[in-house]
Amino acid sequence: MKMAELSTVSAVAVATIKFYLRERLLPAGERTSPNQADYTEQHVRRLRLIRGLLDVGGLSVAEAHRVLDALDSEQPLQQIFGVAQAAVSEHIDPASVPASALARVDSVTDGWLVSPDNPGRLAAAQVIASLEAIGHLSARGWVERYAAAALLIAEADLDEIDAIPDREGKAETVVVGTVLGDALFSGLRRTAQEHVSALRYQPGSAAHHHPSLAESP
Amino acid sequence: MKMAELSTVSAVAVATIKFYLRERLLPAGERTSPNQADYTEQHVRRLRLIRGLLDVGGLSVAEAHRVLDALDSEQPLQQIFGVAQAAVSEHIDPASVPASALARVDSVTDGWLVSPDNPGRLAAAQVIASLEAIGHLSARGWVERYAAAALLIAEADLDEIDAIPDREGKAETVVVGTVLGDALFSGLRRTAQEHVSALRYQPGSAAHHHPSLAESP
């Protein structure tokens, strides 16, 4: 298909597609004349993926580039996981994280097969150091319950990847799940917080009922 | 204590403290002379909270302002939850979210007591719309498992709040947990992903062993 059709089918403006081509996020089409190229279903698919990574996942163009390069490489899935994780993680200098906070993360994740430079390990330790400084580091198992739920989510992620038959689909699922999974989870977490706090603080309040449960006034 | 001591005790530079005072994130000290004021333990505590919200939670000064104002108000805890949730959520125009994606979120959270404009409901729907567009919306229960884990996390959050005796401490826990909880969870999620993928793809690989489990070479 031509550029105009690619734009219509993908619902992405021509100027935006040209930007992605210039930035090499989107591979060039097959040139059919000096100023025309042919695009395929693969381009439509890739365009939608780029939109998801940039708009919903919040990646920068440079981060999306690294993630898509990993996707197109023949790297093993675990490496692609690493690249996707790094893209969605702020870089943290390990030296800036207090040893006591790292020790707390390691104790909560005791027995897990994790490399010391896992970006999530450092990020979790940074949060724990901050909670400790504020005087809000729970001794009541709050962090432990977060770790248990994180394990359930990781099992769900890996089951999803395992269920995809082809290697390319698996790799794409790794990237999509890593980048969009945080946003999905934090959205559902806020939804669940409203639900549980309504149950505890306002039992029977009609104002907080789920639309499908709302009774007539 | 004087400004210099406040800076030492809190490990926040004087210039930064002055900035927080100008931005009214930090309440003014009690004036003891035309160019000197006295600060208390309350100021130390508030300074650490501001650092956590801005540096680790990633809030803007304006967002931190709204959250701290809610904290200092006499609002019920549920309202403070709402303000904290709004501060950490991107504003999403409900009209921009496809009805089918909202329906999917509502079906996954069926029976939950949630208002239609909960920012997490809209954010989750936006992710689901994007997954659908990319062709990666799982029909294998991935979203449902995320919702179940989100409920566990919300229960942990509310148990933590319930365990704090005083109203001020509860309110602070709402804010801290809402703002820092996302970062803690996503960090632990990446740690768990590495663990579960190591278990599945590289059983027995020493390179991925937890430091405390590492065997001699």
Side-chain angles (χ1 to χ4, degrees):
Chain A
M1 67 189 82
K2 292 186 183 131
M3 170 73 81
E5 193 184 345
L6 177 64
S7 168
T8 309
V9 171
S10 63
V12 178
V14 168
T16 308
I17 296 177
K18 286 186 173 166
F19 170 71
Y20 294 159
L21 286 166
R22 266 200 316 275
E23 294 284 336
R24 298 168 156 274
L25 286 174
L26 188 70
E30 201 188 330
R31 201 146 289 282
T32 51
S33 83
N35 52 8
Q36 222 161 49
D38 191 52
Y39 300 93
T40 64
E41 269 308 312
Q42 286 288 89
H43 286 91
V44 176
R45 218 179 138 70
R46 176 54 57 101
L47 259 181
R48 288 180 177 148
L49 180 59
I50 294 168
R51 295 307 292 233
L53 297 179
L54 297 181
D55 296 354
V56 182
L59 295 197
S60 68
V61 167
E63 288 164 342
H65 221 300
R66 279 197 291 277
V67 164
L68 292 171
D69 281 350
L71 198 61
D72 294 333
S73 71
E74 291 299 307
Q75 290 177 49
L77 284 182
Q78 273 195 303
Q79 243 108 313
I80 295 176
F81 242 124
V83 173
Q85 289 198 340
V88 292
S89 307
E90 207 192 328
H91 176 75
I92 296 171
D93 177 6
S96 73
V97 183
S100 65
L102 278 171
R104 177 76 188 260
V105 172
D106 290 341
S107 121
V108 167
T109 60
D110 191 30
W112 293 15
L113 308 172
V114 176
S115 51
D117 56 351
N118 178 296
R121 174 176 176 261
L122 298 175
Q126 198 178 51
V127 173
I128 283 176
S130 175
L131 289 169
E132 197 153 34
I134 304 171
H136 273 279
L137 183 53
S138 166
R140 278 172 296 266
W142 184 70
V143 180
E144 286 75 6
R145 289 166 78 179
Y146 267 59
L151 205 49
L152 292 177
I153 289 292
E155 296 277 1
D157 290 339
L158 271 291
D159 284 350
E160 186 64 21
I161 293 159
D162 284 349
I164 311 268
D166 58 304
R167 192 243 166 234
E168 200 190 325
K170 277 182 200 290
E172 215 178 271
T173 304
V174 165
V175 164
V176 168
T178 303
V179 176
L180 298 191
D182 280 348
L184 177 63
F185 189 83
S186 69
L188 289 171
R189 175 178 176 240
R190 299 194 212 313
T191 314
Q193 281 177 335
E194 184 180 340
H195 166 58
V196 177
S197 73
L199 279 184
R200 295 194 186 191
Y201 300 140
Q202 297 197 334
S205 157
H208 279 269
H209 269 193
H210 189 284
S212 71
L213 294 178
E215 295 131 359
S216 20
Chain B
M1 68 188 81
K2 291 184 183 132
M3 171 73 82
E5 193 185 344
L6 177 63
S7 168
T8 310
V9 171
S10 63
V12 178
V14 168
T16 308
I17 296 177
K18 286 187 174 166
F19 170 71
Y20 295 159
L21 286 166
R22 266 200 317 275
E23 294 285 337
R24 297 168 157 273
L25 286 173
L26 188 69
E30 202 190 327
R31 201 147 287 282
T32 50
S33 82
N35 51 8
Q36 223 161 47
D38 191 51
Y39 300 92
T40 64
E41 268 309 312
Q42 286 289 88
H43 286 92
V44 176
R45 220 180 135 69
R46 176 55 56 100
L47 260 181
R48 288 180 177 146
L49 180 58
I50 294 168
R51 296 307 291 234
L53 297 178
L54 297 181
D55 296 353
V56 181
L59 296 197
S60 68
V61 167
E63 287 164 342
H65 221 300
R66 279 198 290 277
V67 165
L68 292 171
D69 281 350
L71 199 60
D72 294 333
S73 71
E74 293 298 307
Q75 290 177 47
L77 283 182
Q78 273 195 304
Q79 243 109 312
I80 295 177
F81 242 125
V83 173
Q85 289 199 340
V88 292
S89 307
E90 208 192 327
H91 176 74
I92 296 171
D93 176 6
S96 73
V97 182
S100 65
L102 278 171
R104 177 76 188 260
V105 172
D106 290 342
S107 120
V108 167
T109 60
D110 190 31
W112 293 15
L113 308 173
V114 176
S115 52
D117 56 351
N118 178 295
R121 175 177 175 258
L122 298 174
Q126 199 179 52
V127 173
I128 283 176
S130 175
L131 289 170
E132 196 154 32
I134 304 170
H136 273 280
L137 184 53
S138 167
R140 278 173 296 266
W142 184 70
V143 180
E144 286 76 6
R145 290 166 77 179
Y146 267 59
L151 204 49
L152 293 177
I153 289 292
E155 297 276 1
D157 290 339
L158 271 291
D159 284 351
E160 187 64 22
I161 294 159
D162 285 349
I164 311 268
D166 60 302
R167 191 245 166 230
E168 200 190 325
K170 277 183 200 290
E172 215 177 272
T173 303
V174 164
V175 165
V176 168
T178 303
V179 176
L180 298 191
D182 280 348
L184 176 63
F185 189 83
S186 69
L188 290 170
R189 175 179 176 240
R190 299 194 213 316
T191 314
Q193 281 177 335
E194 183 180 340
H195 166 57
V196 177
S197 73
L199 279 184
R200 295 194 186 192
Y201 300 139
Q202 298 197 332
S205 157
H208 280 269
H209 269 192
H210 189 284
S212 71
L213 293 179
E215 293 132 0
S216 20

